[in-house]
Amino acid sequence: MMNYKQMRTAMVNSQLRTCDVNTPWILDAMSKLPREEFVGEAQREFAYMDRPLKVSGDRMMAPPIVAGQILTRIAPSGGEKILIIGGGSGYVAALIAPQIFNLHFIEPDADLLARAKDNLSGFDNITFVDGDWTTGPHDKNADFGEYDVILLDAVAQKAPEALAALLKDGGKFICGNDDGATTSLCVGIKAGGQVKLVPKDPAYMPFIDALSEPAGFTF
């Protein structure tokens, strides 16, 4: 029988702490949240390994360190409104939700969305929104307001203009980028109506066909 608690402790000590993910609340959250419940049954024994895992079709879940890096870059203060696009089965959302005011969750894959709704059913500050990778929420008549943080959990060569428009001035846009050799976690701060993305951490991020073509802002 797998000792998942022991595996979580090993993940925190050998993967997070050694890669400068040391924020106390992040270490605490990741040492307690059962990551194995967010992957398929056949993948559970690999849930805490430092490698991507297939979660549905061709969709991949990033290694644990990437979740820690994302949370470190978000650095919530408690009152944030966040949009996650490509939230998968809900692992990052479950980690960040207790630390923020409100979270909107978009997952275009129907199977992953169903799993996320089940995994995140205990949170009353998460709203599931119909939308896609490049334009965000489909219901343009709804008053979604502006977001403090938008996490596009995938590689995007450019930040889609429609998504950047949903970000408040001074807000953070987080996504992956591929330079042809490595992928990186990028962060951009919206200023003057534009977002300039800056690579921060070497990190695996999923590749999505819908984001393979340039769609907006350049680096």
Side-chain angles (χ1 to χ4, degrees):
M1 184 175 180
M2 307 297 293
N3 187 330
Y4 291 116
K5 182 178 180 180
Q6 187 177 72
M7 293 166 72
R8 282 194 293 275
T9 299
M11 173 196 71
V12 168
N13 292 333
S14 66
Q15 297 179 43
L16 305 185
R17 293 184 186 275
T18 57
C19 291
D20 295 324
V21 176
N22 291 302
T23 305
W25 77 263
I26 296 175
L27 299 180
D28 183 63
M30 294 187 69
S31 70
K32 293 177 179 177
L33 185 67
R35 181 177 163 90
E36 70 274 8
E37 295 181 3
F38 293 82
V39 302
E41 186 71 33
Q43 299 281 358
R44 287 193 168 195
E45 64 180 298
F46 310 115
Y48 297 96
M49 290 187 175
D50 183 20
R51 73 182 206 187
L53 295 176
K54 180 178 289 190
V55 287
S56 177
D58 60 356
R59 286 287 297 281
M60 303 295 289
M61 182 180 185
I65 182 58
V66 178
Q69 291 169 333
I70 288 172
L71 298 176
T72 299
R73 295 299 176 183
I74 292 176
S77 60
E80 289 85 359
K81 180 180 178 182
I82 294 179
L83 172 65
I84 295 180
I85 301 177
S89 57
Y91 182 65
V92 171
L95 290 167
I96 194 68
Q99 305 295 324
I100 64 172
F101 172 67
N102 197 4
L103 188 151
H104 286 177
F105 187 103
I106 292 176
E107 175 45 63
D109 183 282
D111 176 60
L112 286 175
L113 178 60
R115 289 161 59 184
K117 287 182 176 180
D118 183 55
N119 289 332
L120 303 173
S121 61
F123 295 97
D124 58 10
N125 64 336
I126 296 180
T127 301
F128 294 93
V129 179
D130 184 39
D132 61 42
W133 293 98
T134 58
T135 63
H138 285 162
D139 186 358
K140 302 307 179 183
N141 295 318
D143 183 17
F144 292 107
E146 294 182 310
Y147 295 97
D148 299 285
V149 179
I150 294 177
L151 168 62
L152 180 62
D153 199 356
V155 167
Q157 299 305 325
K158 298 181 179 181
E161 293 183 16
L163 299 184
L166 300 174
L167 193 65
K168 67 171 51 176
D169 212 44
K172 296 178 183 178
F173 193 100
I174 301 174
C175 68
N177 178 250
D178 172 47
D179 64 6
T182 60
T183 56
S184 299
L185 183 67
C186 296
V187 179
I189 305 298
K190 186 173 180 179
Q194 297 194 359
V195 174
K196 180 178 176 60
L197 295 172
V198 178
K200 295 293 185 180
D201 308 294
Y204 170 87
M205 298 286 280
F207 285 81
I208 302 297
D209 288 343
L211 296 167
S212 62
E213 294 295 325
F217 291 91
T218 59
F219 287 93

